Amino acid sequence: MKENKFIYLYEDSFEELLYIFDYLIKRNLTPLDIVKEKDYVPNLLDPTIFLKKETKENMQNKYLNKTSKKIMFVIKDIYLSNACHKELISYYFLRNALKYQETIFYRKNLKCVNMALNISHYVRRETHKMKGFLRFQEIQNHILYAKMAPENNIIFALANHFKERLKNEIWIIHDVKRHIYAIYKENKIYFLQEEKNPIIKMTDEEKEIEHLWKSFFQAVGIEERENKRCQMSFMPKKYWRYLIEMEDENENNCNWKNVN
Amino acid sequence: MSTEEKLIILADGAKYDASCSSSGITRKNTGGIGNGAYSGICHSFSKDGRCISLLKILFTNCCIFDCKYCINRKSNQIKRAIFTPKEICEITIHFYRRNYIEGLFLSSAVIKNADYTMGKLIETITLLRTKYHFSGYIHVKAIPGASEVLIKKLGSLVDRMSINRELPSDQGLLLLAPQKNAQRIEHVMDLIDQNKNKNFVPAGQSTQMIVGATKESDYEMMKKSSRMYEKYHLKRVFYSAYISVNQDKLLPSLELPPLKREHRLYEADFLLRFYGLQVENLLDKNHPNFNVLYDPKVDWALRHMNEFPKEINKASYLDLLKIPGIGPTSAKKIISSRKYFKITFEDLKKMGISIKRAKYFILCNGLSFVNPKMLKKDFIAQNIILESKEVSEEKKGVQLSLFYEGE
């Protein structure tokens, strides 16, 4: 592999990222880094190259044919994660995947493979947790609205889960960190990016139901077995902010207001 | 009485049931609300650290039985409540829509008689499935003594149906729950097992036993569990540490629930189900209880020191499973990886396999982590106890010492 001293910038999409990978693999290059264009903080030392996809070829299909579904899922997971240098990690993972194919999953002694699989695992685990921790509130017109602030960008997987589950509802999932909305209506999910916050009106009935849930939550815990540490390790504090049953604890311990 | 008051009373009465799993079904949404998630989903965790996945409530806590250990027994002076089927359905749907829960776990005290209670449960679940078109997870408790027809009817509506064994021995049950009958409880288990298919209790059945309410040893407890796993193909046996809620001369006077013992039983239970070990490997008549200081697998390994250390790169799957600190997931990882490279201690760490326990029992490429001369039974036992979480927490900031008598 040839060393080169460039930082490659890409426009934020999975296709564009794969195009850079493709470009680098063809020329057998080792970049200094690969960074999302809008996240890049310029400095004087490192030269940058901004690459934009020029061919009509579908990169996803190309690499799906060259590797496998399972490998592409890992690369997609990494793309959606918030890990540092995730592009570089997934680039090396892809290179190794082309070489080792399916057996890549057993080669955890390779640093990049190990890191890549750990990131992918983290994204999937968070998706699974969020399926449980997401809380909808009923707002105007019986629309269900849920806020969340996960570490990774997991809204696409979540939306698919609720599409099947809450078929006959209209619902909105709002990723507060990334300002992405997933809106579901009549069997279709629409994703949109919007910085403005919507105006939410909560009904009295909604408050009653939330109260009912809190009462249940209190009643179902066994006093004699209290184990807050265990509770916290399964349900880390970072998720408490939008959990209705933890509201009282939030007021006591956390200064969420200062964060936002 | 308001719905909220009822919910508080009837959730309080149901909380001693340990089971809250929602896994093992792939029920599709049939145009209404809800579906099954095969892996199960935990929606919250209560202050005792247990997962809340299902809306765990009783239909009523008015009971004609007088089981000594139970908070809802007839002779207790407590607030009594009863739900209507409609109320249960509405709370379930309200909670489910907002993603608070994964489904319903409905149990009940015996009101009037077993068949009447069972009828009420059937009415509720039928309403929920047909009128509210709910396809989420439902777990019900079968009522001991209900007729076969009703059990078959209810089983066809739910994902899991279970009945609690409560105590491992028939004498224990006779002593503390004289109105329950061991044969009839096991008959219901048998009935569920015989009829199980994809439309009848697809997620299988489980049961629960109380730990420490009677004098049974761990050996008797595990014997009973393994017999039930074999005979009725249970998915799980839950163990619940006895919590002293009633005063009675037949009950032990325990200040705190025996949580440690419960923990050891769960560990042993996993060894039976996933590690191919038999009860006789772990305990026997002369050695009927688990060591509270270390877990059953370490205990087993220390008694079979001649089998160790094992070479990670050569040991068979079953041999790997015998190493303390290595479970089925780690063992599978090792087997599939070592085809491609020789595993070192470094690699084990990278693979996410903890060697905290295992380091005393393994070799990687012929190398040992600890000086091989030191690997004697007593040395390992002492170190494992000192490394355990409980000890290191208790003694935080204090110089660790093996001998406390001199203080």
Side-chain angles (χ1 to χ4, degrees), chain B residues 184-214:
Chain B
R184 281 169 88 176
I185 289 176
E186 299 218 359
H187 178 66
V188 175
M189 288 183 183
D190 195 41
L191 196 66
I192 296 171
D193 189 46
Q194 296 303 324
N195 289 289
K196 190 182 177 300
N197 63 40
K198 71 179 197 308
N199 297 317
F200 184 91
V201 196
Q205 56 172 333
S206 59
T207 194
Q208 178 166 331
M209 289 195 285
I210 308 168
V211 181
T214 46

Side-chain angles (χ1 to χ4, degrees), chain B residues 52-264:
Chain B
I52 302 175
S53 171
L54 305 173
L55 173 66
K56 198 189 288 178
I57 46 171
L58 297 179
F59 183 80
T60 175
N61 64 346
C62 309
C63 202
I64 55 166
F65 284 8
D66 200 32
C67 309
K68 301 282 181 280
Y69 50 80
C70 180
I71 182 101
N72 301 317
R73 64 177 178 174
K74 195 177 160 190
S75 54
N76 272 9
Q77 295 289 323
I78 54 164
K79 270 195 191 168
R80 305 279 172 174
I82 180 164
F83 272 130
T84 62
K86 195 173 164 233
E87 277 174 323
I88 293 180
C89 294
E90 278 182 355
I91 299 176
T92 310
I93 297 293
H94 278 322
F95 283 6
Y96 195 88
R97 275 186 78 212
R98 288 162 181 79
N99 201 37
Y100 298 164
I101 52 166
E102 191 63 19
L104 174 68
F105 179 173
L106 189 61
S107 176
S108 182
V110 186
I111 183 167
K112 281 190 193 166
N113 57 51
D115 278 354
Y116 177 82
T117 317
M118 202 66 172
K120 279 288 175 195
L121 295 185
I122 292 172
E123 192 189 332
T124 311
I125 304 299
T126 311
L127 195 66
L128 192 56
R129 284 277 195 234
T130 54
K131 194 172 161 225
Y132 291 84
H133 302 287
F134 179 74
S135 315
Y137 193 92
I138 299 179
H139 178 177
V140 288
K141 275 266 136 79
I143 305 297
S147 61
E148 283 190 18
V149 190
L150 295 178
I151 287 169
K152 282 184 183 160
K153 177 96 205 302
L154 188 55
S156 63
L157 293 166
V158 299
D159 297 294
R160 172 172 281 190
M161 179 154 61
S162 55
I163 185 161
N164 284 356
R165 186 64 176 74
E166 310 293 10
L167 294 157
S169 70
D170 296 359
Q171 301 92 302
L173 201 69
L174 201 64
L175 186 71
L176 296 185
Q179 284 126 314
K180 288 192 182 178
N181 177 314
Q183 276 72 44
R184 281 169 88 176
I185 289 176
E186 299 218 359
H187 178 66
V188 175
M189 288 183 183
D190 195 41
L191 196 66
I192 296 171
D193 189 46
Q194 296 303 324
N195 289 289
K196 190 182 177 300
N197 63 40
K198 71 179 197 308
N199 297 317
F200 184 91
V201 196
Q205 56 172 333
S206 59
T207 194
Q208 178 166 331
M209 289 195 285
I210 308 168
V211 181
T214 46
K215 293 199 171 58
E216 282 96 349
S217 64
D218 291 349
Y219 178 65
E220 284 166 89
M221 211 90 189
M222 293 317 300
K223 263 318 239 195
K224 186 75 219 171
S225 294
S226 82
R227 226 170 309 157
M228 287 194 294
Y229 279 127
E230 235 165 73
K231 223 167 155 188
Y232 310 116
H233 308 98
L234 300 185
K235 280 278 151 64
R236 283 293 291 274
V237 174
F238 292 95
Y239 306 90
S240 118
Y242 169 69
I243 296 169
S244 173
V245 288
N246 300 328
Q247 294 301 320
D248 199 298
K249 61 178 189 305
L250 290 172
L251 291 171
S253 52
L254 290 172
E255 287 275 300
L256 290 167
L259 292 176
K260 194 86 229 182
R261 190 174 164 208
E262 178 195 289
H263 184 62
R264 292 285 174 251

Side-chain angles (χ1 to χ4, degrees), chain A residues 44-59:
Chain A
L44 290 170
L45 295 173
D46 305 319
T48 59
I49 297 176
F50 178 66
L51 275 184
K52 207 165 159 40
K53 193 179 161 191
E54 282 150 2
T55 61
K56 283 215 172 80
E57 198 183 355
N58 187 326
M59 288 295 152

Side-chain angles (χ1 to χ4, degrees), chain A residues 107 109 114 128 131 134-136 138 164-165 167-169 206 211 215 222 225 227 229 231 245, chain B residues 4 29 31 34-35 40 43-45 47-48 96-99 102 262 337 340-341 350 393:
Chain A
R107 295 181 188 267
N109 56 336
N114 184 34
H128 179 77
K131 283 180 191 170
L134 199 74
R135 296 285 178 267
F136 285 104
E138 195 179 290
E164 172 66 20
R165 178 160 287 201
K167 238 181 210 168
N168 300 331
E169 308 277 350
E206 186 60 25
H211 193 75
S215 308
I222 299 177
R225 300 180 60 122
N227 191 347
R229 261 191 64 161
Q231 180 191 31
E245 61 270 28
Chain B
E4 188 182 345
N29 187 344
N35 62 345
H43 285 252
S44 190
F45 290 86
K47 62 188 166 210
D48 50 27
Y96 195 88
R97 275 186 78 212
R98 288 162 181 79
N99 201 37
E102 191 63 19
E262 178 195 289
S337 296
Y340 304 106
F341 59 93
K350 276 188 201 155
E393 254 160 43

